[in-house]
C-alpha cells in the first residue's frame, strides 16, 4: 500500500495553490558553466527518474553515474569503479570486485563497498519499485567483507553476470532513513560520473556540469545540456535553428541535414530488431512449411529502404551481426525469394484456390497479424509483410490494437515484436525462446518449444568458457533458423544529426533504450567543439 | 446593507454576492466529488496496467512477479471504494498522493509546472481579450468595409487551422527564416536560471500562437455584438444627440455588447486550456499539458485526479467570476433573486 509523504497543502483551495506556486523558478545553479564549450544535445526520451536503482541507465554510460564496469567503443567490458574486471570463482557462483581507490562522489564523500552493496540490495528489495529485479534474478546476496571489496553470491552460475554490473552506483548515505521510491535523490542525483547535475527541469532540460575530480580525468568540455523535445518535427526545426550540437531524429527527418550546411548525419547500428512472432497455437502458423515460406517471402531490403528510410539492415536472427556470438551461417537474401517460398508451400500441399489464396485440407492459408496501433514503424512493417505474403498466396489480416487487446491474443495470433540488446545473447533470448517461459506474458508468447534450443540456451549461461558459449549460441541460432518461430525482419539504426564543429563523436552499437544514457553521447566527456 | 451609503447604486448591484458565493461553494462540493468519483470509475474500467506503463520498455523483460510486487506496493489492485476512500482521506489531510508516472509527489508536479501553464494561458487570454475587443469593434464600426471583410476572412481561415500547425508555421517563419525569436524551450539552453527577460522572449511566440488560435471566436463575437448594438435605440439616441463617433462606439455600443462577451470568456476557458496543451508540446514548454497526457496514458490516477480537480475548480471559479462581473456591469441583473 502506498503511504506517500504528507504534504500540507489543502487541495480544496487548489486555485490558491496554483496561483501561489505561480512562476517559482528553479534555484539558479551555483558555479554552473554557461556558454563556451558546453555541449547541447537533444532527445525525445526523458527519464522519469535519475536514480539507477529505479532504472536510469542500467547499462551504464549514464553521464552522472559509474558502474563497477563500463563499456568501450566496441561494447567490451572495461573496469570502472572496480579496479579491474571482477573475478568469478571456479564454480561460477561468487563474483568478487575490488574497488578503485580515491573515487569521490559529487558531494565529496568517498566511494566505499557499502555504497555498492546498498545499490544492489535496493534493487532486490521488494519494497523498492524497481523493474531491474527481473534482470538480477540470479543474485542471491551481496556483501562487503572490507571497505574496498564487494562479493556477489549467485543462486546459480550465470556466465554474463559481469554485463549486469554496469549499473550506476549510488551513495548509501544519501538514502539514510528514506524511502528509495520517493527520495529527493531521484530528482537531485549524486554520482561518481564525469558530470554532476546542476539542474533538471522536467519537460525542458537537464543541465550537467563537468566533475573536475572525475577519477577518469577531467571532462574535455565544461558541461552538457540535454534538451528534452518530445516532438520530432519540433526537434528537427530547433536543430536547424542552431540550438543543438547533436540531436536524435527519425531517419526521414535526418535526411534533410545531409550534405553541406554544417551538419552530418550519424547512422548508428543497433541490436534492436523487429520481427513477426509466429505462435505455434495458430492452426496455419503451426505448420513449419508456412513459417519457412514466410521467412523466404518477405522483402527485407525493401523494408529497410522503404519503411526505415535506409536506416537499418536486414535481420535473420536475434543475435546482431555486430555481436561476437553471431553465427556466420545465419544469413539470407536481403530481397524476397518468392520462387523458393512457393516451392515450399507447393511441396507441403498448400495449393492455390480460385481467389489466389492457398488452402490445404479445406483450411485457408490465412492469419491475423497484430501490431501496436500507436507504433507507426511496426504498422508499416505489418503492411509490408501483408503485401509480401499475398504474393505467395497467404492472406494476412493486419490489425492495429492496443497492448491490452494484443496480450490475450498472443497465443494464437501473429504479432510484430521488437527486442534486442547488444551485450549478451542470454539477456533477451533465454526468456523469449526458452520452453520454460512458454505462454508467460511477453516471454515466449508463441509457446515455441525446442529441446535443442533449451539445452543451448542453458549451456550459454552455465559455461564461463567463451568458446563453449559461442558453440552453444551457434547451435541456438541454427535451430531457430530451422524452426522459424519468428520471421526476423530488420535491425534498426538510430539516426542522429551532429554539427560539424563537434569533435570526438564515436558511435557504438546501441540497445533499444537510449535517452540521456547510452546514446550517441555515451562518451560526451571526450567531446570538444571547434568554433 | 444601508441605503445611506455614499455609493448606493454600486452597493446594491453586488448585493447578495456573499449568498451567491456560498451557494456556489455548496454546489462545487458535489461537483468535485462527482468528478473525482468519475475519474476513479474510469480508472477502474481502464485496461491499462499502471505497472507495465511504469516499467516502459522494461515491461517486456520484467517478470510478472516483479510487476505484481509493484502493483502491491501501490495498492492499485485494492477494490475501488478502498482506493477512493484512501485518496479522499489523504486529500483531506492535504496530501494529493504520489504520481506513478512522474515518480514524485503530485504537489511537486503541480508546483513545478502549473505556474508556467497559468502564465501561458493568462497572457494569451489577456492578449485575446484586448485584441478581439479592439479589432471586433473597429470592424463593426465600418461594417462591410475592407477591414471588416479582411478580418472576417482571416478569422474563418485561422479557425480552420489546427493550433499545432500554426505553431510550426510560426517557428518556421520567425525562428528559422527570420531568426527573431527562439524556436522553443523556456529559456536559452545554456542559461543558468530563469531570468524574466529570457523567459519573456521565449514566451512571445507560444503566447501569440495560442492567442491567435483562440481569437476568431472572440473577434467575430465582438464584431457581431457591437454591430448589433450600434442599431440599438440608446445608441441611435446618443448619435442623435450629436455625441462624437468614438464616444458612441466605445461608451455606448461596445459597453452593451460586452456583457454577453463575459459569458463567452467563461465558457471558452476550458478550450483555451486545451489549446495550451498543444502549444506546450510544440514549443517544448514544461507545463501541465504534457504531464496530463502522460498521466492519462500511464493510468496515473493521483496526478490525473489532481489536474482534473484543479481544472474543475478553475472553471467553477471562472463561472462565478463571470456572473459577479455580469451583475456588476449590468444594472438589470440582480444576484439576490
Amino acid at each position: 500500500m502506498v503511504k506517500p509523504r504528507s504534504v500540507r497543502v489543502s487541495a480544496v483551495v487548489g486555485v490558491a495553490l496554483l496561483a501561489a506556486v505561480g512562476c517559482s523558478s528553479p534555484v539558479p545553479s551555483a558555479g554552473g558553466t554557461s556558454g563556451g564549450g558546453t555541449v547541447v544535445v537533444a532527445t525525445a526520451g526523458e527519464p522519469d527518474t535519475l536514480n539507477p536503482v529505479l532504472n536510469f541507465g542500467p547499462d551504464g554510460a549514464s553521464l552522472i553515474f559509474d558502474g563497477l564496469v563500463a563499456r568501450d567503443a566496441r561494447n567490451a567490458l572495461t573496469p570502472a569503479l572496480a579496479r579491474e574486471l571482477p573475478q568469478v570463482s571456479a564454480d561460477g557462483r561468487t563474483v568478487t570486485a575490488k574497488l578503485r581507490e580515491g573515487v569521490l562522489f559529487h558531494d565529496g564523500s568517498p566511494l566505499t563497498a557499502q555504497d555498492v552493496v546498498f545499490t544492489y540490495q535496493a534493487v532486490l528489495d521488494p519494497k523498492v519499485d524497481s523493474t531491474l529485479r527481473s534482470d538480477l534474478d540470479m543474485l542471491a546476496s551481496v556483501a562487503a567483507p572490507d571497505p574496498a571489496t564487494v562479493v556477489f553470491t549467485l543462486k546459480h552460475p550465470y556466465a554474463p553476470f559481469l554485463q549486469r554490473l554496469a549499473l550506476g552506483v549510488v551513495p548509501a548515505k544519501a538514502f539514510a532513513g528514506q524511502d528509495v521510491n520517493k527520495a529527493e535523490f531521484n530528482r537531485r542525483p549524486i554520482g561518481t560520473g564525469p558530470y554532476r547535475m546542476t539542474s533538471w527541469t522536467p519537460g525542458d532540460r537537464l543541465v550537467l556540469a563537468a566533475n573536475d575530480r572525475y577519477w577518469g580525468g577531467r571532462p574535455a568540455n565544461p558541461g552538457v545540456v540535454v534538451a528534452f523535445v518530445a516532438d520530432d518535427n519540433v526537434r528537427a526545426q530547433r536543430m536547424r535553428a542552431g540550438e543543438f550540437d547533436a540531436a536524435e531524429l527519425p531517419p526521414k527527418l535526418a535526411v534533410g541535414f545531409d550534405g553541406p550546411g554544417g551538419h552530418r548525419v550519424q547512422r548508428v547500428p543497433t541490436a534492436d530488431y523487429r520481427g513477426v512472432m509466429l505462435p505455434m497455437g495458430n492452426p496455419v502458423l503451426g505448420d513449419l512449411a508456412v513459417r519457412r515460406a514466410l521467412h523466404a517471402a518477405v522483402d527485407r531490403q525493401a523494408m529497410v529502404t522503404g519503411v526505415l528510410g535506409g536506416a537499418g539492415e536486414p535481420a535473420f536472427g536475434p543475435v546482431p551481426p555486430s555481436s561476437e556470438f553471431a553465427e556466420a551461417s545465419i544469413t539470407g537474401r536481403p530481397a524476397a525469394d518468392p520462387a523458393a517460398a512457393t516451392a515450399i508451400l507447393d511441396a507441403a500441399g498448400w495449393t492455390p484456390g480460385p481467389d489466389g489464396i492457398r488452402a490445404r485440407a479445406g483450411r485457408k492459408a490465412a492469419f491475423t497479424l497484430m501490431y501496436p496501433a500507436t507504433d507507426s514503424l511496426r504498422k508499416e512493417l505489418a503492411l509490408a509483410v501483408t503485401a509480401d505474403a499475398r504474393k505467395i498466396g497467404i492472406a494476412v489480416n493486419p490489425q492495429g490494437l492496443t497492448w491490452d487487446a494484443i496480450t490475450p491474443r498472443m497465443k494464437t495470433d501473429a504479432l510484430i515484436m521488437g527486442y534486442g540488446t547488444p551485450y549478451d545473447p542470454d539477456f533477451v533470448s533465454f526468456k523469449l525462446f526458452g520452453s520454460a517461459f512458454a505462454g508467460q506474458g511477453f516471454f515466449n508468447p508463441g509457446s515455441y518449444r525446442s529441446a535443442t534450443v533449451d539445452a543451448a540456451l542453458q549451456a550459454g549461461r552455465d559455461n564461463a568458457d567463451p568458446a563453449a558459449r559461442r558453440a552453444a549460441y551457434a547451435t541456438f541460432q541454427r535451430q531457430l533458423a530451422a524452426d522459424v518461430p519468428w520471421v526476423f525482419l530488420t535491425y534498426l539504426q538510430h539516426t542522429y544529426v551532429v554539427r560539424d564543429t563537434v569533435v570526438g563523436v564515436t558511435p557504438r552499437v546501441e540497445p533499444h533504450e537510449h535517452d540521456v544514457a547510452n546514446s550517441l553521447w555515451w562518451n560526451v566527456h571526450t567531446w570538444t567543439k571547434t568554433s | 446593507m444601508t441605503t445611506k451609503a455614499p455609493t448606493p447604486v454600486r452597493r446594491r448591484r453586488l448585493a447578495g454576492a456573499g449568498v451567491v458565493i456560498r451557494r456556489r461553494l455548496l454546489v462545487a462540493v458535489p461537483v468535485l466529488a462527482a468528478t473525482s468519483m468519475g475519474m476513479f470509475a474510469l480508472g477502474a474500467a481502464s485496461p491499462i496496467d499502471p505497472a507495465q506503463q511504469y516499467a516502459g520498455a522494461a515491461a517486456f523483460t520484467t517478470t510478472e512477479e516483479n510487476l505484481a510486487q509493484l502493483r502491491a506496493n501501490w495498492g492499485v489492485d485494492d477494490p475501488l471504494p478502498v482506493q477512493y476512500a484512501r485518496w479522499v482521506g489523504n486529500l483531506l489531510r492535504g496530501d494529493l498522493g504520489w504520481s506513478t508516472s512522474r515518480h514524485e509527489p503530485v504537489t511537486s508536479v503541480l508546483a513545478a509546472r502549473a505556474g508556467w501553464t497559468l502564465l501561458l494561458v493568462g497572457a494569451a487570454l489577456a492578449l485575446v481579450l484586448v485584441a478581439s475587443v479592439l479589432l471586433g469593434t473597429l470592424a463593426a464600426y465600418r461594417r462591410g468595409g475592407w477591414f471588416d471583410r479582411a478580418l472576417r476572412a482571416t478569422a474563418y481561415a485561422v479557425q480552420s487551422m489546427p493550433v499545432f500547425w500554426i505553431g510550426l508555421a510560426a517557428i518556421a517563419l520567425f525562428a528559422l527564416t527570420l531568426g527573431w525569436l527562439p524556436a522553443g524551450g523556456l529559456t536559452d539552453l545554456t542559461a543558468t536560471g530563469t531570468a524574466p527577460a529570457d523567459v519573456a522572449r521565449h514566451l512571445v511566440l507560444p503566447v501569440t500562437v495560442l492567442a491567435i488560435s483562440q481569437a476568431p471566436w472572440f473577434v467575430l463575437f465582438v464584431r457581431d455584438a457591437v454591430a448589433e448594438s450600434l442599431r440599438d435605440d440608446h445608441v441611435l439616441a446618443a448619435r442623435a444627440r450629436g455625441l462624437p463617433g468614438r464616444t458612441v462606439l466605445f461608451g455606448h455600443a461596445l459597453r452593451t455588447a460586452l456583457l454577453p462577451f463575459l459569458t463567452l470568456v467563461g465558457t471558452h476557458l476550458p478550450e483555451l486550456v486545451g489549446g495550451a496543451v498543444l502549444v506546450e508540446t510544440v514549443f517544448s514548454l514544461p507545463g501541465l499539458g504534457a504531464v496530463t497526457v502522460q498521466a492519462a496514458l500511464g493510468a496515473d490516477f493521483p496526478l490525473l485526479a489532481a489536474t482534473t480537480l484543479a481544472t474543475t475548480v478553475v472553471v467553477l471559479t471562472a463561472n462565478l467570476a463571470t456572473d459577479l462581473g455580469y451583475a456588476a456591469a449590468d444594472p438589470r441583473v440582480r444576484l439576490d433573486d
Side-chain angles (χ1 to χ4, degrees), chain A residues 58-409:
Chain A
D59 287 313
S62 61
L63 311 189
I64 303 169
F65 296 94
D66 293 305
L68 289 173
V69 299
R71 295 189 176 93
D72 65 11
R74 292 171 42 254
N75 278 325
L77 290 182
T78 56
L81 294 184
R83 207 163 56 202
E84 62 224 15
L85 287 183
Q87 295 294 315
V88 184
S89 67
D91 69 353
R93 292 187 50 198
T94 309
V95 177
T96 310
K98 293 279 185 191
L99 295 191
R100 192 178 290 275
E101 279 165 30
V103 175
L104 298 178
F105 282 104
H106 297 152
D107 64 354
S109 62
L111 167 84
T112 70
Q114 250 340 296
D115 299 313
V116 183
V117 170
F118 173 82
T119 303
Y120 284 88
Q121 278 179 346
V123 171
L124 296 184
D125 183 353
K127 286 199 192 66
V128 174
D129 300 337
S130 178
T131 53
L132 293 177
R133 210 152 40 240
S134 301
D135 292 342
L136 287 172
D137 53 5
M138 77 301 289
L139 182 58
S141 66
V142 51
D146 67 67
T149 309
V150 182
V151 178
F152 296 91
T153 309
L154 310 189
K155 293 171 188 162
H156 52 81
Y158 185 69
F161 185 70
L162 297 196
Q163 298 281 356
R164 293 291 190 206
L165 298 182
L167 178 67
V169 171
V170 300
K173 188 165 63 95
F175 292 91
Q178 290 194 54
D179 177 354
V180 174
N181 298 321
K182 296 172 184 180
E184 182 67 16
F185 185 93
N186 303 343
R187 325 238 107 220
R188 309 201 62 80
I190 300 162
T192 58
Y195 295 94
R196 61 188 165 76
M197 194 199 74
T198 306
S199 70
W200 179 21
T201 317
D204 185 31
R205 67 202 167 120
L206 173 67
V207 183
L208 304 172
N211 172 10
D212 291 337
R213 294 178 297 191
Y214 185 50
W215 57 266
R218 186 183 174 152
N221 48 58
V224 174
V225 176
V226 185
F228 302 113
V229 185
D231 189 273
D232 294 335
N233 288 302
V234 175
R235 205 161 56 254
Q237 290 204 336
R238 292 180 65 181
M239 180 80 212
R240 210 173 285 284
E243 285 190 56
F244 312 132
D245 294 311
E248 202 216 342
L249 286 176
K252 287 174 185 173
L253 285 173
V255 165
F257 288 88
D258 256 331
H263 298 101
R264 61 181 187 272
V265 178
Q266 293 276 4
R267 291 183 178 79
V268 183
T270 73
D272 193 9
Y273 54 80
R274 296 288 176 273
V276 189
M277 184 278 296
L278 305 173
M280 301 300 150
N282 181 291
V284 173
L285 296 173
D287 182 26
L288 176 62
V290 173
R291 299 202 302 272
R292 286 179 55 207
L294 285 171
H295 175 81
V298 291
D299 191 342
R300 296 173 173 85
Q301 192 54 52
M303 292 179 192
V304 169
T305 324
V307 178
L308 300 179
E313 50 192 319
F316 299 96
V319 180
S322 55
S323 166
E324 58 169 318
F325 294 100
E327 160 67 21
S329 69
I330 304 301
T331 182
R333 280 168 48 142
D337 190 351
T342 47
I344 296 170
L345 290 173
D346 289 340
W350 292 93
T351 48
D355 54 353
I357 305 302
R358 289 166 186 270
R360 186 174 74 180
R363 183 181 293 285
K364 278 205 158 198
F367 65 94
T368 297
L369 174 57
M370 307 183 290
Y371 60 88
T374 51
D375 188 329
S376 59
L377 173 64
R378 293 186 196 198
K379 174 187 175 180
E380 290 185 52
L381 289 175
L383 297 180
V385 170
T386 304
D388 289 340
R390 185 69 186 74
K391 287 177 197 155
I392 59 163
I394 295 178
V396 179
N397 170 25
Q399 279 188 14
L401 302 165
T402 55
W403 280 113
D404 55 278
I406 289 173
T407 321
R409 290 172 52 182

